[in-house]
């Protein structure tokens, strides 16, 4: 059913169900017919399981269903249920589950739905939850091979930047720790209904098992990264002191112990520096 990228068809379908877009839920549906087949191909879901977050009216879901053994689509908005019943009626390998991805026990969901089947994630993410969704997928070290997601263009650039460069943020360090990211292609705002105010990009994250911080206390590693970037304009000593609730002298000593310059800022740190900070802090605890 290629009608799912036809504006006239979509408008008629949605109005027949009295559906109106929710800005709050980040509902911008894809209408560019070339994007979903490309995302499905990039996802690497052929013959295996795929978890989709936010199927909307099912435009990406139907492309995933053509390739995957099983598709599980997790959607927050129950108003989409009768619409998905219509748009996905010709598929027999899709399960739609209603719930909030951020409140879902993803490890349990993957086990229940896919068992031993290898799984990838593919989604046009609602932009308001890009970071928490990626953090949840990566930090929980779910048994996922690849994550293929559409995000805002600026978020894609930040995620794929190298740690230790100006564009880097907490999400950059986390992503590089748990995966190898790649910016695949840009998607213009006119590819969506309604059109958002920003352009987008599709990125892939190839998950690392084990992650780069395997030898560290991973919860502490996450706290250090978040604290360091919570006040990214400040020197690292001040940011760590505020974010980890330690006194400034302790933060300064920690930085010195790791062989870092006293005035260093978070955006100058490499992944190895963050690991070193974590090890030093574990030793002083
Ligand atoms: N996949 C569709 C497409 O490409 O046209 C829709 C993408 S739209 C950008 C984001 C989708 O995520 C919407 O269907 C929205 O209702 C859903 N969504 C928003 N917040 C969610 C959440 N917390 N958990 C699960 N789905 C969510």
């Amino acid at each position: 059913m290629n009608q799912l990228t036809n504006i006239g068809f979509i408008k008629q379908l949605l109005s027949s169900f009295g559906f109106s877009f929710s800005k709050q839920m980040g509902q911008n549906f894809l209408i560019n017919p070339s994007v979903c087949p490309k995302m499905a191909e990039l996802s690497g879901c052929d013959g295996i399981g795929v978890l989709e977050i936010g199927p909307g009216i099912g435009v990406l879901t139907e492309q995933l269903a053509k390739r995957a053994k099983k598709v599980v689509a997790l959607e927050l908005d129950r108003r989409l249920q009768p619409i998905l019943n219509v748009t996905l009626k010709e598929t027999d390998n899709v399960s739609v589950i209603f719930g909030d991805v951020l409140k879902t026990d993803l490890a349990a969901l993957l086990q229940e739905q896919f068992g031993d089947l290898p799984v990838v994630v593919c989604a046009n993410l609602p932009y308001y939850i890009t970071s928490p969704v990626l953090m949840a997928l990566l930090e929980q070290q779910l048994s996922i091979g690849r994550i293929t997601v559409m995000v805002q263009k600026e978020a894609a650039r930040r995620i794929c930047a190298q740690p230790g460069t100006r564009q880097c943020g907490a999400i950059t360090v986390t992503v590089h720790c748990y995966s190898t990211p790649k910016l695949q292609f840009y998607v213009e705002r006119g590819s969506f209904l309604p059109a958002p105010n920003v352009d987008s990009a599709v990125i892939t994250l190839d998950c690392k098992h084990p992650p780069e911080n395997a030898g560290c206390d991973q919860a502490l590693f996450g706290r250090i990264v978040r604290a360091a970037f919570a006040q990214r304009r400040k020197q690292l000593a001040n940011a760590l002191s505020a974010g980890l609730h330690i006194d400034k002298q302790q933060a300064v000593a920690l930085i010195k112990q790791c062989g870092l310059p006293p005035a260093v800022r978070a955006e100058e740190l490499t992944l190895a520096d963050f690991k070193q900070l974590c090890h030093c802090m574990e030793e002083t605890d």
Side-chain angles (χ1 to χ4, degrees):
M1 206 204 274
N2 293 327
Q3 291 158 309
L4 293 185
T5 51
N6 176 313
I7 299 184
F9 177 83
I10 298 172
K11 285 189 171 162
Q12 201 179 13
L13 175 75
L14 297 183
S15 87
S16 70
F17 285 95
F19 180 92
S20 54
F21 292 100
S22 158
K23 218 175 175 176
Q24 240 184 354
M25 284 192 257
Q27 290 177 342
N28 302 96
F29 296 165
L30 266 164
I31 50 166
N32 179 333
S34 71
V35 175
C36 292
K38 247 160 117 178
M39 284 182 76
E41 185 180 359
L42 270 175
S43 77
C45 72
D46 293 21
I48 61 170
V50 56
L51 172 67
E52 184 188 4
I53 297 157
I57 60 169
V59 64
L60 176 59
T61 324
E62 70 167 5
Q63 297 299 326
L64 296 171
K66 284 184 190 168
R67 293 175 168 270
K69 178 147 192 212
K70 178 171 182 181
V71 183
V72 173
L74 179 57
E75 172 58 59
L76 178 64
D77 190 351
R78 281 198 172 269
R79 296 176 308 152
L80 289 163
Q81 187 162 21
I83 300 176
L84 285 165
N85 285 342
V86 172
T87 58
L88 298 177
K89 69 174 186 297
E90 279 159 32
T91 61
D92 60 2
N93 58 346
V94 179
S95 302
V96 180
I97 295 176
F98 287 90
D100 183 339
V101 62
L102 296 177
K103 295 185 183 151
T104 300
D105 180 341
L106 293 170
L109 178 88
L110 294 186
Q111 184 54 41
E112 265 165 40
Q113 294 292 328
F114 297 107
D116 292 335
L117 197 63
V119 181
V120 293
V121 171
C122 189
N124 172 11
L125 284 180
Y127 295 155
Y128 74 106
I129 51 170
T130 299
S131 289
V133 169
L134 291 182
M135 294 281 198
L137 290 171
L138 294 168
E139 287 186 327
Q140 290 178 47
Q141 288 180 66
L142 304 167
S143 44
I144 294 169
R146 171 177 268 205
I147 299 169
T148 304
V149 280
M150 171 99 67
V151 300
Q152 275 189 19
K153 186 165 89 176
E154 289 68 24
R157 287 185 174 153
R158 175 162 291 228
I159 288 167
C160 297
Q162 277 304 318
T165 62
R166 287 216 72 177
Q167 272 191 317
C168 166
I171 185 81
T172 320
V173 176
T174 306
V175 163
H176 281 258
C177 180
Y178 292 95
S179 72
T180 305
K182 183 163 184 210
L183 202 158
Q184 296 285 356
F185 61 95
Y186 291 109
V187 180
E188 288 184 356
R189 61 195 76 186
S191 295
F192 300 88
L193 182 73
N197 295 327
V198 289
D199 294 320
S200 299
V202 171
I203 59 171
T204 51
L205 312 179
D206 286 326
C207 299
K208 293 177 185 167
H209 301 288
E212 297 276 348
N213 64 355
C216 305
D217 172 339
Q218 293 183 25
L220 178 61
F221 182 90
R223 278 175 34 227
I224 292 173
V225 172
R226 279 181 254 271
F229 285 101
Q231 306 192 5
R232 55 182 295 129
R233 300 275 162 251
K234 290 201 173 168
Q235 291 183 357
L236 183 65
N238 292 318
L240 290 183
S241 165
L244 298 175
H245 311 292
I246 56 177
D247 66 53
K248 172 96 184 276
Q249 286 319 307
Q250 202 185 337
V252 170
L254 189 68
I255 288 165
K256 198 172 167 196
Q257 198 186 339
C258 294
L260 294 166
V264 73
R265 288 170 209 276
E267 64 195 22
E268 297 170 87
L269 300 186
T270 63
L271 203 49
D273 293 330
F274 277 107
K275 272 163 55 180
Q276 175 76 1
L277 273 171
C278 191
H279 283 309
C280 289
M281 218 172 151
E282 280 171 45
E283 280 166 19
T284 55
D285 265 357

